Amino acid sequence: MDSPQPRLHRLLELAGLFVKLGLTSFGGPVGHIALMENEAVHKRRWLSREYFLDLLAATNLVPGPNATEMAIHIGYVRAGWPGLVVSGAAFILPAFFITLALAWAYVEYGALPQVGAILYGIKPVVVGIVAVAVYRLGKAALTELKAGLLFVAVLILSFFRLNEVALLLASGVAGVLLYTPPSLRPWMTAGMGLGFSLPSLSGVLPSRLLQIGLYFLKVGSLLFGSGLLLFAFVQHDVVESYGWLTPQQLVDAIAAGQVTPGPVLSSATFIGYLLEGTPGAVVATIAVFLPSFLIVSLTGPWIPRLRDSKGAYAFLRGVTAGALALILGTGLLLARAAVVDIWTALLAIASLGILWRTELDVVWVIAGGAIIGWLRYWLGS
């Protein structure tokens, strides 16, 4: 067993590394994970490349944001349970504080014409970002006809405003039916009805802070892969069912999550602040990330068995196709709020083209949209 001094040294190493990554890692989960591999495997040799790939496979087989769960896994491997907490918190907190500052500025100054002009340029860029993300994820996930048909079916069903949790679970069940041997199907589909009757939290719970906490706890427990799936949930529930946010505010929350380093799920901080100020931001952030810590705690010891499970792999393939469909459906709804004239249409097309053909970081594309929006306002006035 490690002596206290080496354990403390390892915790400080983890804190330093993941605060640095939380402050500097842009580009979404793929970019975050690439940086973690470079630091933890190549530079520091904390774990082998093979074990890193095992961890990556595990994060793809369970709910939760991939990059955040990878940070938590690395912390657990390096320093046990304390490392699990330190690495996850160090990766999340920089994005939390940056997003909190953005949310405060948005609430304080968002009504100014200049700020509105900047958001005018950013919103259509976000539409292009979502479209390219779906394309890139789809290239890896929708590699055969079965997955493509499931994707189309869920996309069509999403237009009928069906419950996203129900659609995700149904996608997983469909994946089991499509990809597992007949002998595995009966027990894998036993939970098929779960999620179809989840009640609305609005008006049921006495405190909106409690509503926010339970809502984001549910969302954090059901996200697979990309943090962009968060916005499919928020679009249906927070915007349409609860009426807590407008479509424009959702687009702004997405932009905040994309323009800040660290986890994309920091948009939950932004949304929580819009709803209930700083307490709302804190509650939403803790709730949306807490399941990741619990999931890693449970899955870490039996990662090899999880990776080899045919049933889990089939369920994941189905959920991935459904999640991509929900992200695309949300992107189409966002486009209605963001693309309001020829200029915003051109901005959306330009951002899509730039991200499609180049490796430019999204933060620069968003900055370009903001500058164009401000210039249009300045020239017009």
Side-chain angles (χ1 to χ4, degrees), residues 215-305:
Y215 176 74
F216 279 104
L217 189 65
K218 179 189 80 172
V219 170
S221 301
L222 295 168
L223 288 174
F224 276 86
S226 174
L228 289 173
L229 184 57
L230 166 70
F231 307 116
F233 284 101
V234 173
Q235 172 67 39
H236 181 275
D237 295 333
V238 176
V239 175
E240 296 177 2
S241 297
Y242 307 164
W244 288 349
L245 297 181
T246 66
Q248 289 77 15
Q249 288 173 321
L250 176 59
V251 176
D252 299 337
I254 296 176
Q258 292 286 341
V259 79
T260 54
V264 175
L265 283 189
S266 61
S267 291
T269 304
F270 193 94
I271 294 169
Y273 188 89
L274 295 186
L275 296 176
E276 288 290 327
T278 301
V282 172
V283 168
T285 304
I286 292 174
V288 82
F289 285 111
L290 180 60
S292 295
F293 289 89
L294 299 177
I295 288 167
V296 171
S297 300
L298 293 171
T299 60
W302 48 286
I303 283 174
R305 281 180 289 171

Side-chain angles (χ1 to χ4, degrees), residues 1-369:
M1 184 175 178
D2 292 341
S3 63
Q5 188 61 34
R7 174 64 64 87
L8 177 61
H9 177 71
R10 290 185 177 194
L11 292 175
L12 292 175
E13 282 184 323
L14 286 168
L17 171 61
F18 284 106
V19 165
K20 182 181 80 170
L21 292 180
L23 288 169
T24 60
S25 58
F26 291 92
V30 175
H32 301 163
I33 290 171
L35 288 172
M36 291 178 197
E37 190 278 336
N38 183 60
E39 290 281 355
V41 177
H42 180 69
K43 286 186 179 181
R44 303 167 189 259
R45 302 188 185 279
W46 286 348
L47 61 164
S48 68
R49 182 168 281 105
E50 291 74 19
Y51 195 68
F52 186 89
L53 291 174
D54 282 344
L55 296 179
L56 184 58
T59 63
N60 279 290
L61 286 173
V62 296
N66 289 355
T68 303
E69 288 186 347
M70 281 298 293
I72 298 170
H73 270 303
I74 292 169
Y76 178 72
V77 171
R78 182 64 178 162
W81 299 108
L84 178 150
V85 175
V86 167
S87 59
F91 185 59
I92 293 165
L93 284 175
F96 167 77
F97 287 113
I98 294 170
T99 307
L100 187 65
L102 284 177
W104 173 84
Y106 176 83
V107 171
E108 291 295 318
Y109 304 111
L112 294 178
Q114 296 91 332
V115 176
I118 291 172
L119 294 174
Y120 168 90
I122 288 176
K123 290 173 183 177
V125 169
V126 171
V127 173
I129 291 170
V130 173
V132 172
V134 171
Y135 169 74
R136 289 177 176 169
L137 293 169
K139 278 202 309 182
L142 308 178
T143 56
E144 57 181 355
L145 181 61
K146 291 178 183 178
L149 291 175
L150 181 56
F151 171 85
V152 172
V154 176
L155 180 63
I156 292 172
L157 290 172
S158 71
F159 295 141
F160 293 93
R161 303 292 187 271
L162 298 180
N163 185 287
E164 277 77 11
V165 178
L167 288 176
L168 280 179
L169 290 172
S171 299
V173 170
V176 172
L177 295 174
L178 291 171
Y179 296 114
T180 57
S183 59
L184 287 178
R185 292 174 188 171
W187 67 267
M188 285 297 296
T189 57
M192 191 170 180
L194 292 175
F196 283 81
S197 60
L198 287 174
S200 169
L201 297 175
S202 182
V204 176
L205 299 173
S207 164
R208 191 154 76 160
L209 272 179
L210 183 57
Q211 295 174 17
I212 292 168
L214 291 178
Y215 176 74
F216 279 104
L217 189 65
K218 179 189 80 172
V219 170
S221 301
L222 295 168
L223 288 174
F224 276 86
S226 174
L228 289 173
L229 184 57
L230 166 70
F231 307 116
F233 284 101
V234 173
Q235 172 67 39
H236 181 275
D237 295 333
V238 176
V239 175
E240 296 177 2
S241 297
Y242 307 164
W244 288 349
L245 297 181
T246 66
Q248 289 77 15
Q249 288 173 321
L250 176 59
V251 176
D252 299 337
I254 296 176
Q258 292 286 341
V259 79
T260 54
V264 175
L265 283 189
S266 61
S267 291
T269 304
F270 193 94
I271 294 169
Y273 188 89
L274 295 186
L275 296 176
E276 288 290 327
T278 301
V282 172
V283 168
T285 304
I286 292 174
V288 82
F289 285 111
L290 180 60
S292 295
F293 289 89
L294 299 177
I295 288 167
V296 171
S297 300
L298 293 171
T299 60
W302 48 286
I303 283 174
R305 281 180 289 171
L306 181 65
R307 189 183 184 192
D308 294 337
S309 169
K310 293 180 180 179
Y313 181 67
F315 186 83
L316 172 71
R317 294 179 74 177
V319 169
T320 300
L324 285 173
L326 292 177
I327 293 170
L328 179 58
T330 300
L332 295 174
L333 292 173
L334 295 176
R336 292 173 56 188
V339 181
V340 295
D341 54 28
I342 185 62
W343 299 108
T344 48
L346 290 173
L347 270 174
I349 294 170
S351 65
L352 191 154
I354 290 169
L355 293 171
W356 193 312
R357 300 302 298 265
T358 73
E359 295 298 321
L360 188 66
D361 198 292
V362 294
V363 69
W364 300 115
V365 182
I366 291 175

